[in-house]
Amino acid sequence: MGEVKEPLVEARLPTKYGTFRIIAFPGDSADKENLALVMGKVEGEILIRIHSECFTGDVLHSMRCDCGEQLDLAMKKISKEGKGIIIYLRQEGRGIGLVNKLKAYNLQDDGMDTVEANIALGFSAEMRRYGGAVEILENLGVKEIKLMTNNPAKVEDLEKAGFEVKQIGHSAEPNEENKDYLRTKASKMNHKLEIRD
């Protein structure tokens, strides 16, 4: 395991799903702090969601993706369990940034899928990294993780970092706007998803 980064600030955050502690940690740049939302005692096996920033989905409730619904679902599951952590990583648009993500939207509207659009813009299909999540989990003293994800890359990265990980499927209900996007995640990114017509 690596160097443990100290948190920048911590505050109480009441939400419609219950009260969390919100903790800011240094990110890759000064204006891109990573966040942890913590509910309950951090001990034993902990329910975790590693969520990458999605302004359009998380804030504007875009139907092009399932990001905002996945974030809400994670908060509901943690509230029901009474303890857990959401790690919010500031890596918008699979790591390509908001403006490039909007450019990718235009390419998708012209017929490309999300992977083809990223490549057409000069990026790889997946630019996200999970080192920031590892640093936060180490700081919080987490060892055993119940990870809410459909993405095997997250599981692999955490296991390589020395965590015990149990994967828990985490899917929102598809809609007509995001079905093709979800199919691409399953077929080209190996996400564990079943999309029915």
Side-chain angles (χ1 to χ4, degrees):
M1 297 200 178
E3 173 191 348
V4 177
K5 289 189 178 177
E6 292 304 314
L8 301 169
V9 66
E10 177 178 332
R12 187 176 67 90
L13 186 71
T15 76
K16 66 181 179 181
Y17 303 112
T19 299
F20 290 80
R21 289 184 292 136
I22 184 167
I23 310 169
F25 289 86
D28 291 335
S29 63
D31 63 340
K32 293 281 186 183
E33 298 86 359
N34 293 321
L35 302 167
L37 276 72
V38 182
M39 179 177 281
K41 289 187 177 179
V42 179
E43 59 186 14
E45 197 175 54
I46 302 288
L47 195 58
I48 304 283
R49 169 76 183 159
I50 298 173
H51 189 90
S52 294
E53 179 178 28
C54 177
F55 176 78
T56 50
D58 299 339
V59 178
L60 302 179
H61 311 291
S62 167
M63 295 176 70
R64 296 185 77 121
C65 64
D66 59 342
C67 302
E69 290 172 307
Q70 283 193 338
L71 182 58
D72 284 351
L73 183 59
M75 294 178 79
K76 286 177 189 174
K77 287 180 179 178
I78 287 171
S79 179
K80 184 176 181 182
E81 186 141 323
K83 69 174 186 176
I85 303 167
I86 294 171
I87 296 173
Y88 197 85
L89 298 177
R90 305 294 300 283
Q91 46 189 6
E92 176 76 48
R94 302 191 105 65
I96 67 173
L98 180 58
V99 170
N100 285 316
K101 181 172 80 168
L102 300 180
K103 290 177 182 177
Y105 281 176
N106 287 331
L107 294 174
Q108 290 165 38
D109 285 344
D110 289 337
M112 292 186 183
D113 65 32
T114 185
V115 169
E116 293 164 345
N118 274 26
I119 291 169
L121 289 169
F123 302 103
S124 66
E126 177 61 87
M127 302 284 291
R128 294 177 297 178
R129 300 292 176 262
Y130 301 106
V134 168
E135 291 169 355
I136 290 171
L137 292 169
E138 288 175 351
N139 181 280
L140 296 174
V142 173
K143 301 278 191 288
E144 300 173 61
I145 296 169
K146 292 188 291 185
L147 188 65
M148 295 179 277
T149 188
N150 305 310
N151 183 352
K154 289 181 186 178
V155 177
E156 290 167 16
D157 281 5
L158 292 181
E159 286 177 341
K160 284 178 188 172
F163 297 98
E164 292 180 37
V165 184
K166 183 188 298 178
Q167 184 174 355
I168 297 173
H170 191 69
S171 299
E173 191 65 33
N175 64 62
E176 288 306 315
E177 290 285 346
N178 70 18
K179 274 186 179 178
D180 288 340
Y181 164 76
L182 296 174
R183 285 191 186 100
T184 300
K185 289 209 295 188
S187 65
K188 293 190 174 182
M189 299 177 174
N190 300 317
H191 286 218
K192 295 180 178 178
L193 291 165
E194 289 183 22
I195 312 301
R196 294 182 296 275
D197 287 323

